[in-house]
Structure formats: structure tokens, C-alpha cells
Amino acid sequence: MPISKPFQRWVAGCLLSALSAAAIAQAAQPHVVVLATGGTIAGAGASAANSATYAAAKVPVEKLLAGLPELSQVAKVTGEQVFQIASESFTNAHLLQLAQRVSALAKQADVDGIVVTHGTDTLEETAYFLNLVVRSSKPIVVVGSMRPGTALSADGALNLYDAVSVAASKDSAGKGVLVTMNDEIQSGRDVSKTINIKTEAFKSQWGPLGMVVEGKNYWFRAPVKRHTTQSEFNIDEIQALPAVDIVYGYGNMNTTGIEAYGKAGVKALVHAGTGNGSVAAQAVDALKALRAQGVQVVRAARVPDGFVLRNAEQPDDKYDWVVAHDLRPQKARILAMVALTKTRDSKELQRIFWEY
Ligand code: DAS
């Protein structure tokens, strides 16, 4: 029996309205850009049993996104391959290029959030750098994985899904650069990689900001240190980063490293001391000599948690040294580099370490 014209028109109308509803829904979806830089989240192993033995930085961003069709339920996602490297090989040039790209995208009206996929080794340094210099309140989320996508119980897919859903959420705005790993939403400032062979690898001594579960954010605190739109630093005004390096304190400490960095022309030296940032008696004069040459001395601690007290283990006022507060040495280096693009004054430097 032929189908009547009115019925055909009714069916066509229903299809059109369904299609237009889907199109409207798609058009209304937030646009998240995924900037891929490499790392284990783009890694590949020889077999599913290889959760720790694999090659990082192999899978291109298109393949990462194609392998996660569920992303389309969360946002309109586009990808860019900025680098394809293991993050232990990041340089200051990589940091500057990535931050410039993030900043440019954040300025675009058609971009609602940005995700950076990154190796886990220096993820915490990049996240803190972006937190300091990208002047945007839009969600910027850095994400990695501890296992390659080829491994049994790989963590990358859910980490990436979580990162995109956090970056697509309006309530993620204004919280500084975020890191999503293992269901937690961490502050890019506070978080560090604390374990090198577990998926629950990223911790902050001050705790996560929240959790993300099935694409929904559950917030429990907000950052109090200056970041992004509250920062006095701006990647658009930074063309180069000064040399800042780190020496560790330990039993039988000597001054070879301190003197070598002085000769190499560092602008600041982070001393990761024992305990509360203690400096071995035999190293004090070498650090004082560096200060006399105009090099800033930043007293941090090799002890992961707590914070360094000014004038406790060393007379910082007398020596004109700076303390790193609760920042781990690798984060103190990032802040010192950024701060030195603005000031060479140690009192200003100490203010910056209190505020960021
Ligand atoms: N080599 C590590 C890196 O790229 C792999 C990883 O954990 O992402 O940081």
C-alpha cells in the first residue's frame, strides 16, 4: 500500500527536526582543543603485558582522538600535534612555544577550553609554567598517563576523557591550570609526580582541588596563590627564559656543582637542601660567593613536603637569599626563571615566591 504524501511529509519533518536538534546540540557543544606533545599517553608497547616497557611519543593526536569516540558526547574536539617527544627532553624553547600556542588559542572566541597531552616526567613543570604566564580564565588542563594505550588497564583513555570533560566545563574556569590524572583534578601549581610506576602517581601535599567522575566535576577547594589572569607575568611579553639550575644537598656535599653553575653563568641557583632546606657548612661560602656575583640563591628542600622557613636553617636576610616556600626544587626553578624576566631584586623575588 503506497505511503500517503501527508505521512511522508510528517516522517520527513520528524527526521529534519531530529537532525536539526542533533545539529543544534552539536553546535552548542563547547569547543576543546587538544594540544599533543608526546609522552606515555601517546606511547606504544610491544604487547598488552608491557605496562612499563614501551616507547613514548609514538601515537599521533588524530589517532588518540579517534580512539576515544566518547569525546563527542562531551565536546567538539579538535587536535594539534605541537611536539612528539618524551617530556624529560622538554627544553625552555618547548615551554615557550607551547605557552604561546595555548595563549593564542585561549584568545580565540571559538575555543572554550584547552587540553595539553604531555609526558608525566616534567608535566608538573609545564603545568606550573602555563599557570604563571597564560593570561586566561578559560580551563586549561594538562594530562598524561602512566601506561601506554597498548597496555592492559591503560589509564590514558579515561585520563584524556576526564581532561576534555573538565576543559569543557564552565565551572573549571578561573581555577588556574589544572591537571587531571587518576580521577583527580589537581592544581598545576601544587601537583607533582610522586611515584614512577603506579597510575596513582600525581599528588599534592595540599590535596586535589576536586574529582571528576563520569564527566562531572566535584570541587572541594580552590587555589589561593596567584595564577593566570591574576598573574603579573604574561607569555606575550616573554621572549626568553634565563638560565636557572638546581643542586642537591646530601651527606659529604661538595661545591663542585655550585662553582660549575656559577662559571656557566646561571642567573639563579636553586639549592635543594636536606631537611628544611639546610646547607652544608662546606657549601655556604660557595653560595655566598655566587650571590656576590649577582646570582640569586633560592633555598628549597629535597624533602618533598612541608615548606622552607626563612631564616631558620640559614640567615637568609643576612646572606640575601630567597626561600622557595612549599615549592619543590623543579617548581622553584620554573618560578625563578619567570620572575627573573621581570626583576633582579631579591626582595621582589621573595615576594613573588610568597604569592605564586
Ligand atoms: N618518559 C616519560 C615522559 O614522556 C613517559 C611518560 O610517563 O609520559 O614524560
Side-chain angles (χ1 to χ4, degrees):
M1 186 179 87
I3 299 172
S4 71
K5 285 284 180 212
F7 181 72
Q8 287 178 28
R9 275 197 295 277
W10 179 78
V11 168
C14 290
L15 280 175
L16 273 175
S17 58
L19 282 173
S20 58
I24 290 166
Q26 173 80 23
Q29 277 195 321
H31 176 204
V32 171
V33 179
V34 174
L35 296 178
T37 72
T40 293
I41 195 166
S47 86
N50 289 126
S51 60
T53 308
Y54 57 84
K58 291 295 175 200
V59 179
V61 65
E62 296 74 28
K63 206 170 165 201
L64 285 181
L65 299 181
L68 208 46
E70 295 77 9
L71 291 177
S72 63
Q73 301 157 16
V74 172
K76 181 165 74 73
V77 181
T78 54
E80 288 182 23
Q81 193 77 46
V82 185
F83 316 119
Q84 185 67 293
I85 58 173
S87 74
E88 63 269 23
S89 304
F90 252 64
T91 64
N92 287 350
H94 289 117
L95 279 182
L96 289 169
Q97 183 183 336
L98 178 62
Q100 284 153 6
R101 188 62 188 135
V102 170
S103 177
L105 284 168
K107 291 188 179 92
Q108 288 181 205
D110 66 337
V111 172
D112 300 290
I114 298 161
V115 168
V116 176
T117 61
H118 195 291
T120 59
D121 288 7
T122 62
L123 188 151
E124 66 206 75
E125 297 171 47
T126 299
Y128 189 34
F129 181 71
L130 297 173
N131 197 57
L132 291 169
V133 302
V134 176
R135 289 280 191 84
S136 173
S137 59
K138 288 182 182 174
I140 299 167
V141 186
V142 188
V143 64
S145 74
M146 294 299 289
R147 295 173 180 154
T150 49
L152 292 171
S153 302
D155 56 331
L158 183 56
N159 284 355
L160 180 54
Y161 178 83
D162 287 347
V164 171
S165 71
V166 169
S169 309
K170 288 192 183 334
D171 65 7
S172 303
K175 294 186 170 69
V177 172
L178 304 169
V179 173
T180 56
M181 292 290 284
N182 197 48
D183 307 326
E184 291 182 333
I185 309 172
Q186 297 275 4
S187 155
R189 175 196 184 273
D190 299 341
V191 75
S192 282
K193 182 175 181 179
T194 60
I195 306 173
N196 51 26
I197 51 170
K198 281 185 178 178
T199 51
E200 187 183 3
F202 281 75
K203 298 279 180 199
S204 153
Q205 67 172 322
W206 312 122
L209 298 179
M211 283 192 73
V212 49
V213 181
E214 296 186 357
K216 182 170 170 36
N217 303 336
Y218 299 85
W219 300 103
F220 300 104
R221 65 185 186 87
V224 294
K225 298 292 186 179
R226 293 175 68 177
H227 58 74
T228 58
T229 51
Q230 308 141 16
S231 174
E232 64 202 90
F233 308 107
N234 186 340
I235 186 61
D236 299 346
E237 299 161 5
I238 299 175
Q239 285 74 39
L241 292 169
V244 177
D245 285 290
I246 304 170
V247 291
Y248 269 69
Y250 44 84
N252 198 44
M253 173 75 175
N254 59 61
T255 60
T256 308
I258 295 170
E259 288 154 2
Y261 279 126
K263 287 192 185 81
V266 294
K267 300 301 178 215
L269 186 64
V270 176
H271 177 276
T274 52
N276 193 247
S278 310
V279 178
Q282 64 267 29
V284 170
D285 285 346
L287 289 174
K288 285 168 70 179
L290 272 196
R291 188 72 199 98
Q293 292 164 28
V295 176
Q296 297 289 349
V297 174
V298 180
R299 223 164 39 84
R302 72 180 200 183
V303 173
D305 290 346
F307 56 85
V308 177
L309 283 169
R310 199 172 165 77
N311 298 314
E313 289 293 343
Q314 290 291 330
D316 299 297
D317 289 354
K318 182 178 168 200
Y319 294 165
D320 194 24
W321 293 351
V322 172
V323 293
H325 199 22
D326 66 324
L327 293 176
R328 292 184 177 190
Q330 58 272 23
K331 299 247 189 183
R333 173 182 166 270
I334 295 290
L335 182 54
M337 284 197 298
V338 171
L340 287 170
T341 65
K342 279 247 183 190
T343 180
R344 292 275 190 258
D345 176 280
S346 52
K347 301 233 176 344
E348 264 297 276
L349 205 54
Q350 184 66 76
R351 171 192 62 82
I352 289 165
F353 268 84
W354 293 144
E355 293 181 6
Y356 290 86

